[in-house]
Amino acid sequence: MGRLEGKVAFITGAARGQGRSHAVRLAQEGADVIAVDVCKQVETVPYPTATPDDLAETVRQVEALDRRIVAAEVDVRDLAGLTRAVDDGVAQLGRLDIVLANAGISTPAPTLEMDEETWQTMIDVNLTGVWKTIRASVPHIVAGGRGGSVVITSSLAAIYANPNTAHYSAAKAGLVMLAKIMAKELAPQRIRVNTIHPTTVATEMILNEPTYRLFRPDLENPTRADFEEAALTLNKLPVPAIEAVDISNAVLYLVSEDGRYVTGTTHVVDAGGQL
């Protein structure tokens, strides 16, 4: 039996990247999945965001592991939509044990030059969207009376400052205290809450031209190789970016019995980036 046999996980941003990786990794360990993603272009985001086909591929990969998955196209800024998706998933799958508040965007911009919409969309998705995710889902874990686990995707950017990321870093830092407060509030129900803090991860949110320019402002048309050259300087271990599965394996530890007494922590997976 897998470490999560019989458990159900709710995952936001599940259509691709870290979200898909989490869905597949948890399904490999026996979990069924409730998966949501926006599946349309998010305003202000300078790279393509997830599509319905992306979410369908996540469904295919989870079902290929002989696990059940209930998927819906929902924006994390839509509390009513999140609530409907979770309620429907729990009705079909019977319970909820794990919440992975993973959905997020990146919109690099100088602090004094970004427009109000860029700032507000970032806060609405990366901070308020996490609260809405928790608000819609965690009451089901409480009602189950079996305890459970919540993992919020923060970032190394909540710990280590980089230019042109004020809105992103502010949102990700806000998640730390949100998690700590929720950890205190939910401890009597045996529900653990932690944040996870990746360094650069090789997903679509990072592997795009705007991010390459963020890392290499000295070049007019930087390539992935140019980006990787700069990214290598951030990590003390000799890798420009880690893989999504590296974060999924850390998530698995936090949500399984292996991490049964771990709560209120900032779990860093950064290849030495903060050293």
Side-chain angles (χ1 to χ4, degrees):
M1 290 178 63
R3 281 181 277 178
L4 301 178
E5 198 73 33
K7 301 291 181 68
V8 175
F10 173 51
I11 306 173
T12 65
R16 63 185 195 183
Q18 292 184 52
R20 178 189 290 168
S21 178
H22 299 344
V24 170
R25 187 71 189 92
L26 269 57
Q28 290 171 341
E29 292 291 337
D32 294 324
V33 177
I34 305 167
V36 302
D37 210 311
V38 64
C39 295
K40 64 181 180 181
Q41 189 61 37
V42 177
E43 64 278 13
T44 77
V45 176
Y47 54 87
T49 46
T51 67
D53 286 346
D54 292 326
L55 186 58
E57 177 60 18
T58 298
V59 170
R60 187 195 69 78
Q61 291 191 28
V62 169
E63 289 181 341
L65 295 166
D66 200 27
R67 304 314 309 169
R68 296 178 295 167
I69 180 170
V70 178
E73 297 178 18
V74 183
D75 191 321
V76 293
R77 293 171 290 182
D78 177 6
L79 177 57
L82 287 169
T83 301
R84 285 192 299 271
V86 180
D87 289 353
D88 180 53
V90 171
Q92 293 190 51
L93 301 177
R95 58 190 287 169
L96 186 64
D97 307 274
I98 296 162
V99 172
L100 305 184
N102 166 79
I105 58 172
S106 174
T107 56
T111 307
L112 299 181
E113 296 176 17
M114 74 174 75
D115 58 37
E116 184 178 2
E117 184 183 17
T118 297
W119 174 275
Q120 194 61 57
T121 302
M122 176 64 69
I123 300 303
D124 289 347
V125 173
N126 284 21
L127 180 57
T128 306
V130 170
W131 171 77
K132 290 183 178 182
T133 297
I134 290 169
R135 181 65 184 83
S137 60
V138 174
H140 284 285
I141 304 180
V142 174
R146 296 175 291 266
S149 180
V150 178
V151 178
I152 296 171
T153 303
S154 183
S155 171
L156 184 59
I159 302 167
Y160 186 91
N162 287 299
N164 304 312
T165 61
H167 52 337
Y168 182 84
S169 295
K172 293 297 189 179
L175 296 176
V176 173
M177 195 52 69
L178 172 62
K180 288 182 180 294
I181 291 169
M182 294 299 298
K184 280 194 172 184
E185 292 180 350
L186 294 171
Q189 286 79 43
R190 294 182 294 114
I191 299 171
R192 300 177 295 104
V193 185
N194 297 282
T195 51
I196 194 162
H197 298 256
T199 184
T200 306
V201 183
T203 67
E204 294 87 345
M205 195 179 89
I206 296 298
L207 301 179
N208 57 69
E209 184 180 349
T211 302
Y212 298 165
R213 290 199 302 268
L214 173 67
F215 277 75
R216 294 303 303 268
D218 56 313
L219 299 176
E220 184 175 351
N221 295 299
T223 64
R224 178 171 177 175
D226 297 323
F227 151 76
E228 290 183 348
E229 181 182 349
L232 273 169
T233 67
L234 297 182
N235 302 328
K236 301 305 180 288
L237 294 177
V239 291
I242 61 178
E243 299 299 324
V245 70
D246 297 312
I247 309 306
S248 300
N249 287 331
V251 166
L252 177 60
Y253 161 72
L254 290 171
V255 303
S256 71
E257 282 297 299
D258 294 341
R260 61 182 177 167
Y261 297 129
V262 180
T263 193
T265 69
T266 52
H267 192 88
V268 179
V269 186
D270 71 344
Q274 65 173 328
L275 296 176

